[in-house]
Amino acid sequence: MTSDPLAPLDLAFWNIESAEHPMHLGALGVFAAHSPTAGAHAADLLAARAAAVPGLRMRIRDVWQPLSFGGATREPAPDFDPLDHVRLHAPTADFHAEAGRLMERPLERGRPPWEAHVLPGEDGVSFAVLFKFHHALADGLRALTLAAAILDPMDLPERRPRPEAPSPGFLPDVRKLPGLVRGAVSDVGRVLDIGASVALSGVGVRSSSALTAEPSGTRRTAGVVIDLDDVHRVRKAQGGTVNDVLIAVVAGALRRWLDERGDGSDGVAPRALIPVSKRRPRTAHPQGNRLSGYLMRLPVDDPDPLARLDTVRTAMDRNKDAGPNRGAGAVALLADHVPALGHRLGGPLVSQAARLWFDILVTSVPLPSLGLKLGGNPVTQVFPFAPLARGQSLAIAVSTYRGHVHYGLVADAAAVPDLDVLARALTAEVETLITACEA
């Protein structure tokens, strides 16, 4: 294994982290245990398998050499010990309470930035594993790949490797120069377009104080499971995509939650950032983040559930027509135009500007349709967790696994002590949409 320079967006994630806002992704997998000792056996398996996964041995090291001053590289850790990363905890009756506490803690930056926490259930018939991966090490797809590498092997269809493209030299091919020039001009236009869109995105926006908070450094998590067939019933009746329905459910749940806590939802239309993966298989930097995003206003202030869904569908269609390279949601693409030292010096400033850009993150994390297992114990639920940006109190991630939709909620525990109320509101909103479709 050799060192690999961090891609610009990875470097951005590495530098905007703070003690109150750690930049790690999480996933809480709940397993049906075959025996009361299944959790302890699972911890042993994870540690033994992690040693053989190259991606889990990689640490991130800051670089101060002249040509990459202020950058960082991903390189093998010379003293890697899986036991530093896999931890077995005492039995618990509440997996989410433990997950919230563990999500508060930043990953140690001097060693490979990932952890696996095994949480045996007090009932003796279940256990959970909380995986944490720093966003500079992996995005959602890469994190899934790394986690799957230490779970039980899956029978996947074999893929034929594509021939690798020849490595570029130090000078560009002269035959490609006209295209390179056009690309540079296009990049400038894209930067200006994204910048203007960001400036306009905050005009006339009314969010809610419940979605913004001074950082307390605390975390609370919750999970919600919804039958995918119910989502399809709504989609077939009203059109659009499964993702449109899931986002509309979030909008309706936020309305219920705000009204129940007495904050009021009238006139509230928070800006939601919907990340979009631009990852392509077998790219030059398979470890790096390749993300853009769509920005849309959630119709929290609309009392009609079907009208909310229609608004979401229209906004998503408009975003897709424009593509992930344009608009305010594509700010992540600007990372490629910032030098390494700029990321180093500007990281704290960028982290504080997140609330000026969006109010809530709503992201989707793909999961394989095949059943996941660890030590023969099957996964029954998977709750993805997204990092919280500075000044924001709530992030929502969603995954579909074996016929069910899993919402993973992460909140600042001081700002959102009633996260369970929002969780119940998600379930209630699905029922409301079904009833409205059948009326």
Side-chain angles (χ1 to χ4, degrees), residues 37-276:
T37 61
H41 179 54
D44 292 339
L45 282 177
L46 292 174
R49 293 171 178 175
V53 180
L56 296 178
R57 305 175 66 94
M58 306 297 280
R59 68 175 181 178
I60 294 176
R61 185 176 64 85
D62 295 333
V63 176
W64 298 102
Q65 298 173 355
L67 295 180
S68 55
F69 193 76
T73 61
R74 193 182 290 105
E75 61 183 33
D79 54 352
F80 174 71
D81 184 350
L83 295 180
D84 291 334
H85 302 265
V86 180
R87 296 163 193 177
L88 177 64
H89 295 258
T92 178
D94 190 337
F95 294 139
H96 279 286
E98 290 299 309
R101 179 179 60 84
L102 293 168
M103 286 294 288
E104 294 177 2
R105 304 177 183 177
L107 295 164
E108 293 193 28
R109 293 169 71 92
R111 60 191 186 195
W114 70 273
E115 292 173 353
H117 297 270
V118 181
L119 311 171
E122 284 186 353
D123 56 14
V125 298
S126 65
F127 68 91
V129 179
L130 175 68
F131 290 101
K132 294 168 55 178
F133 294 96
H134 199 287
H135 219 329
L137 179 69
D139 58 12
L141 288 172
R142 176 66 175 167
L144 172 62
T145 301
L146 292 173
I150 51 179
L151 296 177
D152 292 355
M154 293 185 294
D155 295 327
L156 298 176
E158 184 177 354
R159 293 181 177 179
R160 294 182 180 179
R162 293 182 180 179
E164 294 186 2
S167 300
F170 289 104
L171 296 176
D173 188 332
V174 294
R175 293 169 296 179
K176 298 180 179 179
L177 283 177
L180 292 174
V181 172
R182 286 195 300 271
V185 173
S186 175
D187 284 346
V188 171
R190 182 180 305 142
V191 169
L192 294 175
D193 172 79
I194 293 172
S197 298
V198 170
L200 292 173
S201 68
V203 176
V205 171
R206 183 179 171 225
S207 185
S208 170
S209 58
L211 298 178
T212 59
E214 292 302 318
S216 70
T218 59
R219 293 292 181 270
R220 187 184 303 272
T221 72
V224 178
V225 181
I226 294 171
D227 195 317
L228 183 58
D229 286 341
D230 289 340
V231 177
H232 280 300
R233 287 169 65 186
V234 176
R235 179 190 61 80
K236 291 176 181 178
Q238 297 301 123
T241 67
V242 166
N243 200 42
D244 293 340
V245 177
L246 297 179
I247 295 172
V249 167
V250 171
L254 288 174
R255 178 182 177 83
R256 292 171 180 270
W257 175 59
L258 292 174
D259 287 343
E260 186 163 341
R261 62 174 12 214
D263 289 349
S265 56
D266 291 343
V268 173
R271 296 160 301 172
L273 177 64
I274 317 292
V276 177

Side-chain angles (χ1 to χ4, degrees), residues 369-420:
S369 58
L370 300 174
L372 301 171
K373 295 182 179 179
L374 178 55
N377 303 285
V379 173
T380 58
Q381 298 174 333
V382 185
F383 300 102
F385 298 135
L388 276 184
R390 176 178 290 274
Q392 295 170 346
S393 57
L394 178 66
I396 299 177
V398 59
S399 286
T400 301
Y401 177 68
R402 296 184 70 81
H404 291 87
V405 175
H406 295 78
Y407 282 98
L409 314 180
V410 177
D412 184 289
V416 188
D418 57 345
L419 189 62
D420 57 326

